[in-house]
Amino acid sequence: MVYRAPLGVLCSLAAACALGQLSASPYYSTLSGFNDTSNMFMSQTAYDGWISHSGADPDTFINAMAITGGTTWDPDIDFFTPSGLFSYYDPGVGYGTYTFGTAISGDTNWYVGGLASRWGDVYNVDPGVYDFTLDIIGGADANATDLLASIQYVFEVAARLDVSATGEATPGVIHYGEVTQVAMTVQNHMPNRSFFSTTWFFSGGGMSQGTDSLTHVGWEGDWWEEEIVAGGSRTDGHTAWKAAGAIPTGTYQGYMGVVGGLYLGDWHWVSMTGTVPTVELVPEPSGLLVLALGGLALIRRRRV
């Protein structure tokens, strides 16, 4: 992926480097949220980013994070930032947790999720485009309140994500030990906007009948960063499921769907509705024959 940072971000990075403390940049700079999320399993907007420190610079302390609204900001947009600590991934080290007010030493290159996040419907905010910055505050000790770096983000509010998902399991009838494969079709009903998938998901047991579930044996297809143009659709694999273990026969239904939105990196979860994958788990034919023979034997015994 090639990312071109906005001019404001580049300027803030230059200023941070000049201070010799931290640099920061966004992963995806523009994401979306919706006034109505009733057609979704879940809706989240979460901005991620990179925070870096050079080993040639003195120890640096992050003491707080805050959101500063831009020229189009609406105060009713309720984003929250990490408080007290955050988790990160450093490609050179692995996963870790940073606690505010502790020293950052040496070379670090942290990928941090959820620098600014929100859930659910966007209330009392008109559709439109809103800008803000995520400010990283700290300095040379645990009491410092310098502006170390800022990341510029854009948030688009739309009325509704008009996308639907359906699925089908093949084969539709299986025996114990056999596998069924689910395919998914995502339809974009929006007349002038593309839908971008982020990933795909299942909830609960995935393919379930009450509290019993088939066993998930793998993800299928590719729904990473796929674009479905306005009015278009896309069909691909979803998941594979096996009838393993002592589970009852009967009809198992899929609880699953796609994650995406108006921009790459969006996390709005759209479940399959209408046509959903179902599979019938039946006994082995040999098992049915044994039951039938047993029934005949019982009848004969009663006649004797």
Side-chain angles (χ1 to χ4, degrees):
M1 180 191 70
V2 176
Y3 178 81
R4 180 170 295 173
L7 179 59
V9 174
L10 295 177
C11 291
S12 67
L13 291 180
C17 291
L19 290 172
Q21 295 176 333
L22 286 181
S23 62
S25 61
Y27 189 62
Y28 293 111
S29 61
T30 303
L31 297 176
S32 62
F34 301 92
N35 298 135
D36 178 5
T37 63
S38 60
N39 64 326
M40 301 180 196
F41 173 74
M42 185 186 304
S43 178
Q44 178 189 20
T45 305
Y47 292 88
D48 304 340
W50 292 90
I51 299 175
S52 301
H53 177 268
S54 172
D57 292 330
D59 290 356
T60 302
F61 294 73
I62 296 176
N63 299 325
M65 293 185 181
I67 289 174
T68 300
T71 56
T72 63
W73 189 245
D74 189 317
D76 286 332
I77 299 175
D78 52 346
F79 278 104
F80 58 90
T81 63
S83 176
L85 56 81
F86 58 80
S87 298
Y88 64 82
Y89 174 73
D90 189 322
V93 178
Y95 292 94
T97 300
Y98 175 78
T99 301
F100 287 7
T102 57
I104 302 173
S105 303
D107 291 321
T108 62
N109 188 29
W110 295 343
Y111 176 80
V112 183
L115 289 172
S117 303
R118 68 169 319 282
W119 296 83
D121 294 348
V122 184
Y123 296 104
N124 302 319
V125 178
D126 293 331
V129 176
Y130 302 87
D131 64 315
F132 68 98
T133 62
L134 184 281
D135 297 329
I136 302 172
I137 299 166
D141 56 47
N143 298 311
T145 57
D146 300 327
L147 178 60
L148 299 176
S150 292
I151 306 176
Q152 182 176 340
Y153 289 120
V154 175
F155 180 52
E156 179 178 353
V157 177
R160 182 181 173 90
L161 182 64
D162 197 0
V163 170
S164 62
T166 57
E168 182 178 9
T170 306
V173 178
I174 60 174
H175 305 109
Y176 288 101
E178 294 183 341
V179 173
T180 187
Q181 294 165 311
V182 174
M184 178 171 64
T185 297
V186 176
Q187 177 72 49
N188 180 5
H189 304 285
M190 296 181 288
N192 54 10
R193 296 295 297 267
S194 287
F195 171 78
F196 292 91
S197 63
T198 300
T199 183
W200 51 123
F201 77 96
F202 66 87
S203 60
M207 290 290 290
S208 303
Q209 176 184 236
T211 59
D212 298 296
S213 302
L214 301 182
T215 299
H216 176 235
V217 295
W219 297 95
E220 304 204 335
D222 180 8
W223 294 92
W224 298 112
E225 299 188 344
E226 295 291 337
E227 180 182 7
I228 303 175
V229 298
S233 66
R234 183 175 186 273
T235 300
D236 201 350
H238 190 282
T239 40
W241 304 86
K242 185 176 182 178
I247 58 175
T249 59
T251 301
Y252 287 77
Q253 177 177 318
Y255 299 89
M256 55 193 70
V258 67
V259 181
L262 300 180
Y263 297 95
L264 292 173
D266 271 329
W267 283 84
H268 306 291
W269 306 51
V270 178
S271 298
M272 295 178 185
T273 56
T275 303
V276 298
T278 57
V279 61
E280 188 77 15
L281 174 60
V282 299
E284 291 286 350
S286 58
L288 293 175
L289 179 59
V290 169
L291 290 174
L293 292 175
L296 288 174
L298 181 61
I299 292 172
R300 288 177 179 177
R301 181 174 295 179
R302 287 178 176 175
R303 288 178 176 177
V304 173

